[in-house]
Amino acid sequence: MPSTILVGYSNLALYSAMAVFTIAMLLFAFHLAALGPVKVERSATKRERELVGAPTTTPLTPAPVGAETHSGECDSTPTEGVVGGDDLTASPRARKLAGVALSLSWLGTLVLIASVAMRGLAVMRPPWGNMFEFATAGAAATALAYCALARRRNWEWLGIFVIGPVLLTLGLALFAFYTEAAELLPALKSVWLVIHVIVAILAVGIFTIAFSVGVVYLIRRRREENPPEKPNFMETLPSSTQLERTAYGLNMVGFILWTFTLIAGAIWAQKAWSAYWTWDPKEVWTFVIWVVYAAYMHARATAGWEPRKAMGIALAGFACILVNFMVVNVFFVGLHSYSGLK
């Protein structure tokens, strides 16, 4: 029988993690607000002085014979506030807010992992046997992946775009998908529950971060093409080219993991139902997701395809993931009807 004490502690840890994530999300929002353009004085290149009409004369004293000259090198003429990630600096307040927000994100992630672990201990099985447990485990994987990447790559600017969806997922898990702790259905009692579902959770976590980066990329590119009169924190973020490459790399990792998920699911289906493929709604949508992301990979690698259009396919792939989780699991009846909501 499930341990009601551990289930209670698990739920308490989940509420605590949500409270910590809420504070972290607010601090990430304040961090972005504090990232408004800060004018810095730096040396202007000859090309920039030509663009603004500044004099481009050479020094009055002649250069020594044999000395090399480089027209693109900087001299001492100052210029201010050219919009761009390299020309804008974060204020001490913004850096402090980012550090505290990331620390709270780590705390919330660890508390959430503890909640997932206690749920598993309460029922003595892997804690992803229904939609509630999958949602909380997926949120934990997403938060952990973000915290690790943010610490290594200084991705504090992405925090609100990741912690926000994580918090929303936990809210849905508690108030829409909550299921009482119980034993597994016979078909789920397999080692493939660990292999297949863990990889699926990791894939969804990576896809979620890639989705967030993709949305930021589209906004950033639009602002680069139509520069605003009043720059804001968006102009302090990496360039659209860098964001697009980052999203592609994340989607590639997620796609590899999802491919393994699809193969592992087929192997598990053969062992459980004596058939690798049964056209079950869950199987079909898992394959649809794989096809959409495969189309994105192909479009991204095909010459002539605009990156923005390819990114649209990737975002459509994430929409398919949401449909697979929130629609197929609830409203479609099949061999994978393990949501716990019916």
Side-chain angles (χ1 to χ4, degrees):
M1 294 293 293
S3 171
T4 55
I5 296 177
L6 278 177
V7 171
Y9 283 134
S10 174
N11 292 341
L12 179 61
L14 181 56
Y15 281 111
S16 301
M18 291 179 66
V20 175
F21 280 137
T22 300
I23 299 174
M25 185 179 67
L26 292 174
L27 290 178
F28 277 128
F30 294 146
H31 164 66
L32 290 181
L35 277 181
V38 177
K39 290 184 179 182
V40 294
E41 187 175 281
R42 65 178 180 83
S43 297
T45 63
K46 178 180 178 181
R47 176 58 179 164
E48 288 172 347
R49 294 198 308 276
E50 290 176 349
L51 291 176
V52 299
T56 59
T57 56
T58 56
L60 296 176
T61 56
V65 177
E68 295 183 0
T69 58
H70 302 280
S71 59
E73 287 189 354
C74 299
D75 62 18
S76 59
T77 304
T79 186
E80 289 186 344
V82 179
V83 176
D86 294 334
D87 300 303
L88 300 172
T89 60
S91 65
R93 178 172 176 267
R95 289 194 295 269
K96 183 177 181 180
L97 287 169
V100 176
L102 186 57
S103 297
L104 287 175
S105 298
W106 272 109
L107 176 60
T109 300
L110 294 177
V111 174
L112 181 56
I113 291 174
S115 172
V116 173
M118 285 187 286
R119 176 84 174 196
L121 291 174
V123 291
M124 296 304 294
R125 61 168 174 80
W128 40 77
N130 50 58
M131 285 182 64
F132 168 76
E133 294 173 356
F134 186 91
T136 53
T142 302
L144 181 61
Y146 165 72
C147 289
L149 290 171
R151 183 170 183 177
R152 182 177 180 181
R153 298 174 177 267
N154 297 322
W155 278 3
E156 290 84 357
W157 55 267
L158 188 61
I160 192 172
F161 301 101
V162 176
I163 299 302
V166 166
L167 193 57
L168 178 61
T169 300
L170 295 177
L172 286 173
L174 271 173
F175 301 111
F177 302 145
Y178 185 78
T179 305
E180 294 294 337
E183 294 295 325
L184 285 174
L185 294 176
L188 292 178
K189 294 180 179 180
S190 170
V191 67
W192 287 102
L193 176 66
V194 178
I195 301 172
H196 172 67
V197 182
I198 278 185
V199 177
I201 289 172
L202 292 175
V204 171
I206 297 297
F207 279 141
T208 301
I209 299 176
F211 169 79
S212 299
V213 176
V215 171
V216 176
Y217 155 73
L218 293 177
I219 299 173
R220 183 78 167 97
R221 175 160 178 174
R222 182 178 181 84
R223 293 178 71 88
E224 287 178 352
E225 293 176 346
N226 302 285
E229 294 182 1
K230 295 182 178 180
N232 57 27
F233 71 90
M234 288 298 300
E235 277 61 55
T236 69
L237 304 186
S239 67
S240 62
T241 300
Q242 292 174 309
L243 291 171
E244 195 277 332
R245 290 175 180 172
T246 299
Y248 171 70
L250 291 170
N251 280 317
M252 176 63 76
V253 174
F255 178 70
I256 294 172
L257 293 174
W258 196 258
T259 301
F260 182 86
T261 299
L262 188 63
I263 296 172
I267 296 174
W268 187 9
Q270 197 280 331
K271 292 183 177 297
W273 305 312
S274 301
Y276 288 102
W277 193 264
T278 61
W279 293 103
D280 180 78
K282 191 75 171 179
E283 293 176 346
V284 172
W285 272 94
T286 300
F287 182 66
V288 167
I289 294 169
W290 185 89
V291 170
V292 174
Y293 276 103
Y296 162 70
M297 296 299 166
H298 177 72
R300 174 61 169 69
T302 301
W305 260 83
E306 186 182 10
R308 180 163 43 190
K309 294 181 179 179
M311 186 61 68
I313 300 177
L315 299 186
F318 189 76
C320 291
I321 291 176
L322 297 180
V323 171
N324 184 41
F325 180 67
M326 294 189 293
V327 177
V328 176
N329 281 349
V330 178
F331 299 104
F332 287 72
V333 179
L335 296 173
H336 288 80
S337 298
Y338 306 134
S339 66
L341 302 178
K342 294 183 178 181

